[in-house]
Amino acid sequence: MLAKHPSLSTFNHYLTLTHLAPEINRRTTITVLALDNAAMSSLLDKNPSIYTIKNILSLHVLLDYFGAKKLHQIRNGTALAATMFQATGVAPGVSGFVNITDFKGGKVGFGAEDNGGSLNSFFVKSVEELPYNISVIQISKALPSVVAEAPTPGPSELNITGIMSAHGCKVFADTLLANPEAMGTYEDNVNGGLTVFCPMDDPFKAFLRKYKNLTASKKASFLEFFGVPVYQSLSMLKSNNGLMNTLATDGASKFDFTVQNEGEEVTLKTRVNTAKITGTLIDEQPVAIYTIDKVLLPKELFKAALSPAPAPAPEEAADAPKGSKSKTKSKSKTKSKAAPTPDSDSPAESPDDDPADQVADDDNAAMCFGAERLAVVGLSFLLVFFLL
């Protein structure tokens, strides 16, 4: 949108350089207070760092729509608008707000709220407008702000654990500091880009007992799991849903989680549990730190939570020695086969023409016939004896 306005080329260049451009393009309701090349030269003459420039320019991005017409119809003549600088969470108090005042005669003044109420920059013209969504208006000069103009340390100078400790993540920060391996991994990634999701004190404090039971290498992997080796602003997280690798990702050890959002709510999910982003501690390229409401658990370290081990079969002895499981089961099966299972209380009847019964009858008949022959022969001998 600004590319076709050469007089605003320097301003446009620094929006890109500070990564504010994609943040602006993502939003649906916004007003950009653009500075022409002369106003940008006055700003750059002070030699601010790129991080300070980002703070100053983010103060010039209002999180509301103000077209030329609306500027001259402000209710009660004045309005207080939140800015992208305020949304980063690094602007204390009212320092991230801009006062807009419609003066008599059609003049509109702008001033940072932390500048003592001084309105020393004025509306010049409307540059681009998409009613009620996006407005780019030119103002006469940069808005002075002591907080926004304060020297901002480079990423390598950031005390990330100090930031976490000061905003409700002290237990996690202290645990990270006590693990040189994991802390070193975080420090190695600060300059290239780093996003941290730190669990709040209460849930992490409750989790410490489980953490202490991990081995040294698993403790390091667990802590590294909460860091991502790229810068991810909140808007990026909302628009780039899907799997995300972490500082602990290493080949077969995936150590990843899924980012998912519903409206303004962003959640992180593993196969074990889900955590929700609850706040932003710092969102300054190339470092972003967010708080989460639970201790996100990587499935690589907490598989037991996925599928509990099956209970042993009733017939298996609890103290059976290794290797005897199949033998015990085999014996059980043999016993069950041998055990009689009567179908009724009365004895079963054999079929009438059972061959086994027929054989038995023939044998009995032969025995009887043989006994009769012996008796007849005996009587014959006895009769002959008496006749003689």
Side-chain angles (χ1 to χ4, degrees):
M1 186 177 285
L2 290 175
K4 56 185 179 182
H5 298 279
S7 65
L8 305 175
S9 60
T10 304
F11 180 78
N12 188 38
H13 169 71
Y14 277 95
L15 288 182
T16 302
L17 198 62
T18 57
H19 299 275
L20 282 171
E23 292 288 311
I24 293 171
N25 294 335
R26 180 191 69 83
R27 296 180 180 270
T28 55
T29 304
I30 204 159
T31 300
V32 178
L33 307 179
L35 303 172
D36 65 12
N37 294 341
M40 282 298 296
S41 294
S42 297
L43 173 63
L44 296 173
D45 283 345
K46 301 175 183 177
N47 294 317
S49 70
I50 190 66
Y51 307 106
T52 298
I53 292 174
K54 181 177 182 179
N55 286 344
I56 294 171
L57 296 188
S58 65
L59 185 66
H60 290 68
V61 182
L62 312 181
L63 304 182
D64 198 356
Y65 176 81
F66 288 95
K69 183 177 180 181
K70 184 177 178 180
L71 287 174
H72 295 290
Q73 295 177 344
I74 295 175
R75 183 176 297 179
N76 299 323
T78 186
L80 196 63
T83 68
M84 196 172 283
F85 182 47
Q86 186 271 334
T88 63
V90 298
V94 296
S95 59
F97 289 84
V98 168
N99 185 305
I100 308 170
T101 299
D102 179 23
F103 296 105
K104 292 180 180 180
K107 195 174 185 179
V108 180
F110 299 82
E113 187 66 8
D114 68 336
N115 193 36
S118 176
L119 304 174
N120 51 5
S121 185
F122 300 94
F123 172 73
V124 176
K125 64 180 181 181
S126 173
V127 178
E128 296 279 351
E129 288 187 29
L130 182 60
Y132 310 109
N133 293 114
I134 301 172
S135 173
V136 180
I137 58 178
Q138 182 182 338
I139 60 175
S140 58
K141 64 179 183 178
L143 304 177
S145 166
V146 174
V147 176
E149 294 174 11
T152 303
S156 60
E157 300 171 2
L158 280 177
N159 183 354
I160 60 173
T161 52
I163 293 171
M164 288 187 271
S165 294
H167 294 85
C169 292
K170 188 177 188 308
V171 181
F172 176 78
D174 289 347
T175 306
L176 183 59
L177 281 170
N179 193 300
E181 182 180 348
M183 190 65 222
T185 303
Y186 276 76
E187 290 172 343
D188 291 343
N189 284 272
V190 167
N191 287 321
L194 179 66
T195 302
V196 183
F197 302 95
C198 59
M200 298 296 285
D201 281 342
D202 286 345
F204 200 82
K205 194 180 298 182
F207 177 78
L208 276 179
R209 188 175 65 175
K210 291 182 180 179
Y211 169 79
K212 290 175 181 177
N213 287 333
L214 296 174
T215 64
S217 62
K218 288 182 177 180
K219 284 179 180 177
S221 295
F222 174 75
L223 293 172
E224 291 166 358
F225 174 70
F226 292 88
V228 173
V230 291
Y231 167 73
Q232 291 282 338
S233 67
L234 192 57
S235 62
M236 291 176 180
L237 292 172
K238 289 177 181 177
S239 60
N240 297 325
N241 286 188
L243 281 177
M244 185 168 291
N245 289 338
T246 68
L247 295 175
T249 300
D250 182 19
S253 300
K254 296 185 182 298
F255 280 100
D256 55 22
F257 53 77
T258 299
V259 178
Q260 183 176 322
N261 79 291
E262 293 183 10
E264 294 299 305
E265 184 176 287
V266 180
T267 56
L268 314 177
K269 298 183 177 182
T270 70
R271 287 174 57 193
V272 183
N273 70 338
T274 299
K276 181 174 66 176
I277 293 179
T278 56
T280 302
L281 304 188
I282 182 172
D283 186 359
E284 293 287 331
Q285 170 75 16
V287 177
I289 303 177
Y290 306 101
T291 56
I292 54 177
D293 65 343
K294 294 179 183 176
V295 178
L296 194 64
L297 303 177
K299 59 184 176 61
E300 286 80 2
L301 299 181
F302 298 92
K303 291 181 181 178
L306 302 178
S307 54
E315 66 268 21
E316 295 176 17
D319 57 348
K322 292 182 179 178
S324 64
K325 184 176 181 180
S326 58
K327 188 181 293 185
T328 305
K329 189 178 290 185
S330 176
K331 287 181 179 179
S332 299
K333 288 183 178 178
T334 304
K335 285 183 179 180
S336 63
K337 286 183 179 178
T341 309
D343 294 331
S344 66
D345 293 334
S346 59
E349 296 180 359
S350 299
D352 294 336
D353 56 350
D354 189 347
D357 290 340
Q358 291 177 7
V359 172
D361 291 341
D362 291 343
D363 291 341
N364 291 335
M367 290 177 66
C368 292
F369 178 72
E372 290 175 357
R373 288 184 65 183
L374 288 173
V376 171
V377 172
L379 288 173
S380 298
F381 277 109
L382 185 61
L383 182 59
V384 172
F385 175 76
F386 281 115
L387 290 177
L388 291 177

